[in-house]
Amino acid sequence: MKSLEELKAIRDRMQGQVGMRSEDDTQTRVVVGMATCGIASGARPVLTALSDLVQEKNLHNVSVTQTGCIGLCQFEPIVEVFEPGQEKVTYIKMTPEKAKDVVEQHLIQGRIVKDYIIPKTLG
Amino acid sequence: MYRSHVLVCGGTGCTSSGSEEIIQALQAEIDKNGLTSEVSVVKTGCHGLCALGPIMIVYPEASFYSMVKVEDIPEIVSEHLLKGRVVTRLLYNETVTEDGMKSLSDTAFYKKQHRIALRNCGVINPENIDEYIGTDGYQALGKVLTEMTPDEVIQVVLDSGLRGRGGAGFPTGRKWQMARNFVQDGGQKYVCCNADEGDPGAFMDRSVLEGDPHVVLEAMTIAGYAIGASQGYIYVRAEYPIAVERLRIAIGQAREYGLLGNNIFGTDFSFDIDLRLGAGAFVCGEETALMTSIEGNRGEPRPRPPFPAVKGLFARPTILNNVETYANIPQIILHGANWFASMGTEKSKGTKVFALGGKINNTGLVEIPMGTTLREVIEEIGGGIPDGKKFKAAQTGGPSGGCIPAEHYDVPIDYDNLLAIGSMMGSGGLIVMDEDNCMVDIAKFFLEFTVDESCGKCTPCRVGTKRMYEMLDKITKGQATLEDLDKLEELCYYIKENALCGLGQTAPNPVLSTLRYFRDEYVAHVVEKRCPAGVCKALLSYTIDADKCKGCTLCARNCPANAITGAVKEPHVIDQSKCIKCGACMEKCRFSAISKK
């Protein structure tokens, strides 16, 4: 027998899942480069880490997705963060550990992780 | 945890165009590419665009793929799911623009729609109660049981202005109130759901049951609390196997979670729901016949009054609402009566689901605010009529409804307007007809259906509809007189006034409305022995224009009755006594030399 509280707990848990199925332009998009170059340099664990962390932290307004080759293959794995109304932020040479920092500092606290972003002269 | 959700439609429409195989191939391909833990495949209910099935939507990008084939799956998985490149060639062409992808909600088909009853259809997995809960499911029930009195619930439903979506449009709140007020002996009451969708061309109830079965369970439980019932029955036709299966699963899950059963949410309130399968008789959609059938008897109507709210199932107070009506209830409870009443027209609030069919480009399911015009539904949402043909009429309400002609193209659709122009809302079938449809033939089609489905209990319906059908048959064969037309009309009114139940009382409507708007077509059949639309075979004749005929012999070779003769390179001739009027010759002729009159 479920109580109202248990029902709310299921709802909160499921909202992260079902919430993805909307076309909401207030969403922050985290995009991982998953072309051959990206995959070869280890984009897959980064992608997995990002999507796991986003779900774990219940970040309902963040979607994690993948894209093809951005053209900066020497800097792969690359992760781009698109926040509505903000300039795109490009993180380079990512690892699952760095991904954790990006989720905690950038996506949750709103502070860009300066150490990991692409040098201005290249971006 | 999944980073991407692939939604594949598992409604009856897409299932029949092969979505089951798509799902299997997709899952296998995902496994092969090692994406099993990253990508989730979700079998959902109907998205509405049945004409373009099987349909697949990939989130978070919201890429809408249409007419997907098993051969396309490896490309979708390796390109889109692995590398993140959308497979543009498979996108629904309305969503493709010059600078990329357009959002689905901006397409003509979805832009004017407002989904309340269908809000979860095509979004959640109907076989997973958690997904329903994730979209606020069972929250309304929680609110009702812990914060509201039964009278407050009924007041909200009354204030919302919700009217029965089965077709007649009786205010739902009033029905509930009548059943609640019956407290003479404190005995059992019942909540029933009419899922016996029988109108040819209507499939909105099926889609709700297939795509979001829990919403019906939740709403019925709310209704049970409101009127003081502890038992509910869903009467669904056995011809809807997917809907039945998903309802069974849903009821099982709800019981497991304690959302059906004793002491729901720890309150004193207990409620359970059982399924009753109908064999598909049209008359069992009539409320008294439906209840007679649930009782285990032959599905025949009984006179009203007494109304079901006083003496219904097993002679106890009963409310009976349609699937779509129930699908609105939890949203009304959660968002309030004013939210719902802010949509629609003065006397018809909220939205209505229509099943678009016939001569229309976007065959499928749409939910529109009341007050939308027929023109908007057909031209914009429906994508117009194929082959540039002209709109002639729209049939609403199935065998109980009537035809709306072009002169009423801009009438806002609501209960009262449709009645005023001789049709009715009905359960929501909307069949579009163009200049190639003969209105007498349409009336005959519906009468044939009614004759078949008449239960035979009362004479006006049993004998009357049969006589009507015979008269219509005479007209389409060119054997009728103008006197027959008058007699037909008189019989219509007689049946309307004297039949026992709704089936008989409304059976003449297709004839009356076509007589009202297309009398000239009837007269053409009777007086000139001519079918203006070229449909009624007995009145047609095919002829070959000797000047245009090149004597290629193609028509003669394709004639199944060997009715065409002529030498090579000489004009051919059709022997009218042998011609079966199949039209094969006209279709084959490359020189437009054959015409029909």
Side-chain angles (χ1 to χ4, degrees), chain B residues 438-448 472 510-511 514 522:
Chain B
C438 167
M439 303 316 282
V440 185
D441 187 60
I442 294 288
K444 192 175 117 182
F445 167 81
F446 281 113
L447 251 295
E448 191 182 358
L472 288 167
V511 178
T514 47
Y522 279 87

Side-chain angles (χ1 to χ4, degrees), chain B residues 547-558:
Chain B
D547 293 337
K548 284 185 185 165
C549 180
K550 307 278 187 214
C552 72
T553 75
L554 195 59
C555 56
R557 278 182 280 137
N558 278 286

Side-chain angles (χ1 to χ4, degrees), chain A residues 11 19 27 45 83:
Chain A
R11 182 180 64 163
Q27 286 244 325
E83 282 174 291

